């Protein structure tokens, strides 16, 4: 088992982590990036990305992440395809152990471990991922212009996504498992007033079907009651909006997290409550969750780390 010392350790490899890597390596800080078990992060699960500036023709998510990665490597970032298992932020240099037990002593740490959209757990979600199943209306809604889509969830995200999709799609079903929406009053009102949104209360999705892409969903209404009914809806897109989980489990007890597990930062900086530890991207962002926003905070985290190293 090896031990090494670095000035900047970046944990996580989506747009935030790689951008931090580009900035830190260009600042001659020789960053080490632990890219984890999903190199490139959530964007490697999507298909075409049309809203990242600089790609007027659009680009595939995995390809864009590969370009970010190459750009970080070009300036000397070292990238390790492993996960971090344990961190100790109680003193500097910070002590981080990877999955193989190797120890990294780091003067600064940038956390960019992202968040994962929650799915229902149906095997069909896997089967049709990128073929009609999505967890991001802003990313993929455009592909469903004048089509019919369904959004699952009853919170603010689901309402926001349904409203956004209703401006593009012909019809939007909002599939809610309870008989009420959990979203704020104002969001509920907007959804109710939108003519092309139909709310299916007391409904659970139990399957999806379609030849190659999603063509419909199987719904159970009043599951477990004597009025239980099973029916199909014809849809072209199936959007999950049942929350995200920030990937911050290993930092619990080491840095301040909010109730949902997102890392608290001293905005507009990326500083956490531990001096020398910075956070960027979706692991610290319950609100925007966009690649461009994550890349922006990755840049800021690298600049914050650089400044911290100069001052100490
Ligand atoms: P929430 O946790 O608020 O809502 C999740 C929704 O998904 C709930 O309706 C929940 O149902 C439903 N759900 C969870 N699991 C399942 C499942 N297995 N099957 C079916 N439905 C399921 O998450 P959000 O992402 O909506 O919001 C997160 C936070 O961000 C909230 O605090 C929200 O207010 C905030 N937010 C604010 C916005 C704004 O102000 N513009 C926009 C977006 C988010 P149930 O109610 O039955 O538990």
């Amino acid at each position: 088992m090896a031990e090494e010392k670095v000035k900047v350790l970046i944990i996580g490899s989506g747009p935030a982590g790689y951008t931090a890597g580009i900035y830190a390596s260009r600042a001659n800080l020789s960053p080490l990036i632990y890219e984890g078990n999903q190199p490139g992060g959530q964007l490697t699960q999507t298909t075409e990305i049309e809203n990242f500036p600089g790609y007027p023709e659009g680009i595939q998510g995995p390809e864009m992440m590969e370009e970010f990665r190459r750009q970080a490597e070009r300036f000397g970032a070292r990238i390790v395809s492993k996960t971090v298992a344990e961190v100790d932020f109680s003193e500097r240099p910070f002590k981080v152990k990877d999955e193989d037990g190797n120890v990294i002593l780091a003067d600064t740490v940038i956390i960019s471990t992202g968040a994962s959209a929650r799915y229902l757990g149906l095997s069909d979600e896997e089967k049709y991922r990128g073929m009609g199943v999505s967890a991001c209306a802003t990313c993929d809604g455009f592909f469903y212009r004048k089509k019919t889509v369904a959004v699952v969830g009853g919170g603010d995200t689901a309402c926001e996504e349904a409203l956004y999709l209703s401006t593009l799609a012909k019809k939007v079903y909002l599939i809610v498992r309870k008989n009420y929406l959990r979203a704020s009053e104002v969001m509920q009102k907007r959804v109710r007033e939108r003519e092309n949104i139909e709310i299916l209360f007391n409904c659970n999705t139990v399957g999806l079907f379609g030849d190659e892409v999603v063509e419909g969903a199987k719904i159970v209404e009043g599951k477990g009651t004597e009025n239980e009914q099973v029916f199909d809806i014809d849809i072209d897109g199936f959007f999950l909006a049942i929350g995200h989980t920030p990937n911050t489990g290993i930092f619990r007890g080491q840095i301040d997290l909010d109730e949902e597990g997102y890392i608290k930062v001293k905005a507009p900086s990326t500083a956490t409550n531990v001096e020398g530890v910075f956070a960027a991207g979706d692991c610290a962002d319950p609100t925007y969750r966009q690649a461009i926003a994550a890349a922006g905070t990755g840049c800021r985290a690298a600049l914050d780390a650089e400044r911290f190293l100069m001052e100490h």
Side-chain angles (χ1 to χ4, degrees), residues 118-121 152-161 175-184 186-187 190 203-205 240-244 260 262 286-287 289:
R118 288 189 204 130
Y119 285 80
L120 297 172
V152 183
D156 281 317
T157 302
C159 289
E160 205 168 69
E161 307 248 293
I175 305 172
V176 184
R177 66 177 172 184
K178 293 204 175 120
N179 63 353
Y180 61 88
L181 292 168
R182 181 203 285 226
S184 53
V186 55
M187 293 297 266
R190 279 186 206 149
C203 284
N204 284 281
T205 313
L240 281 308
I242 58 172
H244 280 75
E260 312 255 328
Y262 287 94
T287 312
R289 297 195 295 247

Side-chain angles (χ1 to χ4, degrees), residues 28-218:
N28 240 352
L29 296 174
S30 313
L32 176 64
I33 303 179
Y34 263 72
E35 65 181 357
N37 53 17
Q38 193 190 351
Q42 294 178 77
L43 287 192
T44 58
Q45 306 261 303
T46 61
T47 50
E48 197 172 1
I49 296 167
E50 293 180 330
N51 55 5
F52 201 97
Y55 297 97
E57 307 304 326
I59 183 167
Q60 295 293 313
E63 196 185 333
M64 185 168 96
M65 282 305 94
E66 186 48 38
E67 295 204 349
F68 271 53
R69 189 181 196 274
R70 280 202 295 128
Q71 197 169 346
E73 277 185 319
R74 177 182 159 201
F75 299 109
R78 269 187 310 135
I79 301 178
V80 181
S81 300
K82 283 185 195 166
T83 53
V84 161
E86 211 180 303
V87 300
D88 178 358
F89 293 158
S90 59
E91 57 179 359
R92 281 203 306 273
F94 305 116
K95 197 171 170 185
V96 174
K97 240 187 221 171
D98 74 15
E99 57 185 315
D100 296 335
N102 299 310
V103 172
I104 303 112
L105 299 173
D107 291 327
T108 61
V109 173
I110 295 173
I111 302 171
S112 50
T113 45
S116 304
R118 288 189 204 130
Y119 285 80
L120 297 172
L122 304 172
S123 57
D124 289 339
E125 288 170 319
E126 275 303 318
K127 183 173 166 192
Y128 296 106
R129 194 173 286 197
M131 308 298 284
V133 172
S134 167
C136 179
T138 321
C139 319
D140 298 328
F142 195 67
F143 302 116
Y144 297 92
R145 273 165 299 164
K146 299 195 169 55
K147 297 194 170 172
T148 301
V149 297
V151 177
V152 183
D156 281 317
T157 302
C159 289
E160 205 168 69
E161 307 248 293
L163 286 165
Y164 174 72
L165 288 166
S166 72
T167 63
L168 300 162
K170 184 172 67 188
K171 168 152 187 154
V172 180
Y173 290 104
L174 184 58
I175 305 172
V176 184
R177 66 177 172 184
K178 293 204 175 120
N179 63 353
Y180 61 88
L181 292 168
R182 181 203 285 226
S184 53
E185 278 301 326
V186 55
M187 293 297 266
Q188 292 193 32
K189 187 165 178 283
R190 279 186 206 149
V191 165
R192 289 205 168 92
E193 285 173 354
R194 191 63 57 90
E195 278 180 2
N196 61 342
I197 299 181
E198 180 180 342
I199 308 177
L200 303 177
F201 284 113
N202 289 317
C203 284
N204 284 281
T205 313
V206 290
L208 300 169
F209 54 86
D211 269 348
E212 285 188 2
V213 296
V214 170
E215 290 171 18
K218 195 164 275 307

Side-chain angles (χ1 to χ4, degrees), residues 219-223 225-231:
I219 308 288
V220 178
E221 185 178 358
K223 202 172 179 196
T225 68
E226 57 187 31
N227 299 324
E228 183 174 304
Q229 274 192 62
V230 182
F231 61 94

